[in-house]
Amino acid sequence: MDGLQKKAVQKIFTFLVKHVDPQYIIGQLYEQDALTQEVMKQILRENVRHKRAMVFFVEIVDTCPFDELVNCLKKTRHEFVAEKLLETFYRLTIDQLVYVQPEILLLGDIVSIRNIGVELAVYQDNGKYDKFERRVDAIRFKWDSEYKTKNSSAEKACAAEVVIHAQLAWLKFKVDAGNKCDVLMEIKDVTRLAVYTKNPNTILSIVFAYQVQLLIIQSKDNIIGMNDYNMTKDAVFKDLDVFDISTLIVTDTLVHSRSYELTGKQKAKDEMIKCLDKMIDQYSSSGDGDQTKQYLSAFGRNSMLVKALAYLGMTYKGKIISAVVSDDDLKHAKWVLEQISGEFEKLERRWKMMFHVAQARMRQLNGDFEGALWHAKVANELSMELKHRFEERQNIINLLTDIQSSA
């Protein structure tokens, strides 16, 4: 738990000890790898309920993720305790977050609403996890405390859309980090907010797109919701703005990327590259306002980088799919990377890492093992600063090992 989460537990410590008997929840936490064996034994040694609870809540702040504790409390009929804990944490968050703009949920500007999802993604891609989490918590709290029970209005519709994008960003963060997450259950909770928005069908198409993305990231073989995604996408496509369309294209790209990863077939790779070209065209021809254009330019650069990785026989997370890359693909990858290199400093930290991955792979395939090793080491150093990109880190380690063995 971070500092504020620990403080929330401390602030209502007496309440928690009074209402929770740890023996009924430690089993589930242990199954979720959220409780160490040592702490579990320590708790079970106590024969008196309130003593067990005191030991539990003293130790849990250092061993259990806050979200896991809250989810476990909800699932073990301690919903009122979970709500009290969350409310305390949100209030502490709001008190501390002087940089959070409260007017973000008083929007009439659709571009600003769209930018919230990108803003949160940028925090993640730069490793600013505390700022990301607190921003999401502030938005959730604002919705729960000021908008949830209000009558329908344009303002509430905007607020609902903001909190949906924040919730989706949070889910993607959890899944990318490899945390256990029941995607279908979590997405179901998000869909309940769609009714408050101005265009529920449009929002549902985005929510279903995220469901597909998250299940793909979790490497699920059965992507539940593909039919819902395709139907809603086709029904509302003409009403979507550039940000919504981008989400759908990203989803289609991930579908083909997953197919390429599983089969290694050229057709899947070609379809993925077609989607990436769509994204690049989308970002280069759209945008109103300096901030929106800035975000879209960043998406364009990132899409080009993913395209280079595809040419090099890799997934967007740097996993090697094909050991054999054609001369034409190598030329394409080199050209794309040259275009990106001129704007390297504009890349977020995550994409700088992947740029070095692509450079390392390209040099390895060209027989420049010294250059490949240097780029792979730089990528590895950057991965240490991005703690939740665990899959990329493992792929980089595998790449380093492969380069060293082939040198």
Side-chain angles (χ1 to χ4, degrees):
M1 296 185 190
D2 66 22
L4 280 182
Q5 292 165 347
K6 290 180 180 180
K7 191 172 181 180
V9 173
Q10 181 182 8
K11 196 170 182 67
I12 60 168
F13 184 77
T14 303
F15 173 87
L16 294 170
V17 169
K18 180 180 179 181
H19 292 287
V20 177
D21 187 343
Q23 71 177 350
Y24 297 114
I25 64 176
I26 57 176
Q28 184 170 333
L29 286 175
Y30 185 68
E31 288 174 1
Q32 299 296 321
D33 293 327
L35 189 72
T36 66
Q37 195 174 55
E38 291 74 16
V39 172
M40 191 172 182
K41 288 178 180 177
Q42 189 177 352
I43 293 164
L44 292 174
R45 279 198 295 266
E46 296 291 346
N47 295 321
V48 181
R49 190 203 64 78
H50 79 273
K51 288 185 178 180
R52 283 197 296 272
M54 289 179 72
V55 171
F56 177 76
F57 286 108
V58 166
E59 295 291 342
I60 204 73
V61 294
D62 293 321
T63 61
C64 178
F66 188 76
D67 276 354
E68 292 290 353
L69 175 60
V70 170
N71 289 336
C72 184
L73 288 169
K74 288 180 178 178
K75 291 176 181 177
T76 54
R77 299 185 180 179
H78 292 83
E79 291 91 346
F80 70 102
V81 179
E83 288 173 6
K84 178 81 170 176
L85 186 56
L86 280 172
E87 180 185 355
T88 304
F89 173 62
Y90 290 158
R91 290 193 180 281
L92 289 171
T93 301
I94 295 300
D95 289 343
Q96 178 169 307
L97 290 183
V98 295
Y99 65 84
V100 172
Q101 303 171 12
E103 65 271 17
I104 191 67
L105 295 185
L106 300 174
L107 297 171
D109 179 6
I110 193 67
V111 174
S112 297
I113 291 175
R114 287 290 176 259
N115 286 350
I116 190 67
V118 186
E119 175 195 334
L120 292 171
V122 168
Y123 291 154
Q124 291 183 58
D125 287 346
N126 280 321
K128 296 179 180 179
Y129 305 120
D130 288 345
K131 195 167 185 177
F132 166 76
E133 291 184 36
R134 290 170 185 168
R135 187 75 158 124
V136 172
D137 287 333
I139 291 169
R140 285 170 169 171
F141 178 77
K142 192 93 174 156
W143 169 260
D144 289 338
S145 63
E146 297 185 26
Y147 287 93
K148 191 174 182 178
T149 57
K150 279 187 176 181
N151 293 330
S152 297
S153 65
E155 184 180 307
K156 182 174 181 177
C158 288
E161 198 162 336
V162 170
V163 79
I164 285 171
H165 283 287
Q167 289 280 71
L168 292 173
W170 176 251
L171 283 179
K172 194 162 189 300
F173 172 76
K174 286 176 66 176
V175 172
D176 272 331
N179 295 337
K180 291 187 178 179
C181 177
D182 187 334
V183 168
L184 299 179
M185 183 181 74
E186 297 278 8
I187 286 291
K188 189 175 181 180
D189 287 341
V190 178
T191 59
R192 294 192 181 104
L193 294 168
V195 69
Y196 301 112
T197 64
K198 184 179 178 181
N199 298 302
N201 289 335
T202 300
I203 290 297
L204 283 175
S205 70
I206 302 306
V207 174
F208 287 136
Y210 267 86
Q211 177 175 309
V212 171
Q213 289 184 30
L214 297 176
L215 292 173
I216 289 172
I217 294 169
Q218 286 187 331
S219 300
K220 301 293 186 184
D221 292 328
N222 181 24
I223 308 301
I224 298 170
M226 278 298 296
N227 289 337
D228 290 333
Y229 164 63
N230 287 323
M231 284 192 297
T232 56
K233 175 180 70 172
D234 293 341
V236 303
F237 196 84
K238 62 180 179 10
D239 299 321
L240 301 180
D241 67 16
V242 61
F243 287 93
D244 290 334
I245 292 172
S246 299
T247 299
L248 302 186
I249 298 175
V250 168
T251 305
D252 291 340
T253 304
L254 285 178
V255 170
H256 295 303
S257 177
R258 177 66 174 153
S259 176
Y260 178 48
E261 184 178 352
L262 290 172
T263 67
K265 289 185 177 179
Q266 183 67 36
K267 182 179 179 181
K269 178 179 173 180
D270 291 343
E271 290 297 325
M272 180 171 60
I273 290 173
K274 283 181 186 177
C275 286
L276 290 165
D277 284 335
K278 279 185 188 177
M279 281 199 278
I280 294 165
D281 291 341
Q282 177 86 359
Y283 301 141
S284 63
S285 62
S286 303
D288 297 314
D290 292 340
Q291 190 177 43
T292 299
K293 287 181 178 178
Q294 179 184 339
Y295 286 150
L296 294 174
S297 295
F299 275 130
R301 287 190 294 271
N302 300 344
S303 299
M304 288 185 70
L305 183 47
V306 174
K307 186 177 176 181
L309 290 165
Y311 279 131
L312 293 166
M314 308 179 89
T315 68
Y316 73 103
K317 289 189 175 183
K319 180 180 178 180
I320 299 173
I321 302 302
S322 175
V324 179
V325 176
S326 70
D327 289 341
D328 281 344
D329 278 351
L330 273 175
K331 288 176 184 177
H332 286 309
K334 182 180 179 182
W335 182 87
V336 172
L337 290 174
E338 285 174 352
Q339 305 311 302
I340 300 170
S341 63
E343 297 187 282
F344 176 78
E345 291 305 320
K346 294 181 181 179
L347 295 172
E348 310 299 342
R349 190 172 298 171
R350 170 195 175 190
W351 296 105
K352 286 179 179 177
M353 174 182 73
M354 297 313 299
F355 178 85
H356 283 292
V357 168
Q359 290 282 10
R361 181 62 176 157
M362 185 174 68
R363 280 164 171 70
Q364 180 190 24
L365 292 169
N366 283 323
D368 177 10
F369 298 111
E370 184 177 348
L373 192 59
W374 184 86
H375 279 287
K377 286 180 177 179
V378 174
N380 190 46
E381 289 173 7
L382 286 168
S383 76
M384 301 301 180
E385 302 170 14
L386 297 165
K387 61 183 180 182
H388 90 292
R389 312 297 319 184
F390 79 102
E391 188 175 340
E392 286 91 329
R393 282 208 307 274
Q394 186 57 55
N395 290 335
I396 290 168
I397 290 170
N398 293 341
L399 179 61
L400 260 171
T401 302
D402 192 53
I403 292 169
Q404 289 168 338
S405 64
S406 59

